[in-house]
Amino acid sequence: MSAAEISRIDEAFRRVPRRDFLPPAQRGYAHLDTPLAIGHGATNSQPSTVHTMLTVLDVQPGDRVLDVGSGSGWTTALLAELTGPTGVVLGLELVPELVETGRVAIASTSRSWAQIDLADATRLGRSEAGPWDRILVSAVARAMPTELTDQLADHGRMVLPVGRRLMVVNRSGSQLSIQPLRGAWAFVPLIHPTGSE
């Protein structure tokens, strides 16, 4: 990854402060490089982990991006900063209360090309709105979710944790390449639809 791409992400972090997406009791800890609880068993992810995931995801202006497990809405807003107004960013979250607080936080940033919707507990992603150029998953899957890989556009990329590995999935036509990143990673569990992996 080029220094220019990393600097784009650093600038996105500057323009989208983590503090603005935390519950009031947690805002004083926004500078810490650690996950912070946002209620309902969810966390606002560790900034260094988010930075790594966004660096590898390589979001470009105009991309259509799906954010699975949007939580506080911080990653959705960061993705919107990276796509710019010619892009589309959809955050999906299963907890209705987090959907509402995330929507309020996103609205305060005036990034109208980003939205947060309530996820459908019976399926992963939002296939009818795809395909997606980029998919970010901020919850750990038990196995590679084909329901999400099927939603990747040609030359699309997905970054997600599977087990304790962070995986990068690239699509080229009907072919997928999957590569793990070094290190061990911890996330909240991805809620799989009943009977799926």
Side-chain angles (χ1 to χ4, degrees), residues 54-126:
L54 293 181
T55 299
V56 176
L57 193 61
D58 191 27
V59 174
Q60 296 300 310
D63 276 351
R64 295 174 48 78
V65 185
L66 180 65
D67 185 17
V68 178
S70 57
S72 67
W74 185 43
T75 53
T76 306
L78 287 166
L79 290 164
E81 176 63 25
L82 293 169
T83 69
T86 59
V88 173
V89 182
L90 174 62
L92 295 178
E93 173 55 53
L94 275 172
V95 180
E97 293 84 355
L98 293 178
V99 171
E100 290 308 312
T101 57
R103 283 175 173 169
V104 169
I106 287 286
S108 73
T109 73
S110 300
R111 291 175 174 86
S112 58
W113 57 96
Q115 68 181 65
I116 295 177
D117 284 353
L118 185 65
D120 184 341
T122 67
R123 60 186 179 139
L124 289 173
R126 185 68 62 82

Side-chain angles (χ1 to χ4, degrees), residues 22 31 37 43 46 59 66 83 86 90 99 136 140 153-154 176 187:
L22 294 171
H31 64 287
T43 61
Q46 185 172 341
V59 174
L66 180 65
T83 69
T86 59
L90 174 62
V99 171
L136 179 68
V140 63
D154 191 18
L176 295 177
F187 292 84

Side-chain angles (χ1 to χ4, degrees), residues 3-50:
E5 183 61 29
I6 291 171
S7 68
R8 278 186 73 227
I9 294 166
D10 290 338
E11 179 65 11
F13 269 60
R14 188 186 71 78
R15 288 176 165 273
V16 185
R18 185 190 196 198
R19 184 181 187 280
D20 295 349
F21 294 82
L22 294 171
Q26 294 282 37
R27 289 175 186 164
Y29 305 104
H31 64 287
L32 297 178
D33 191 30
T34 186
L36 295 173
I38 56 173
H40 313 282
T43 61
N44 177 282
S45 296
Q46 185 172 341
S48 61
T49 298
V50 175

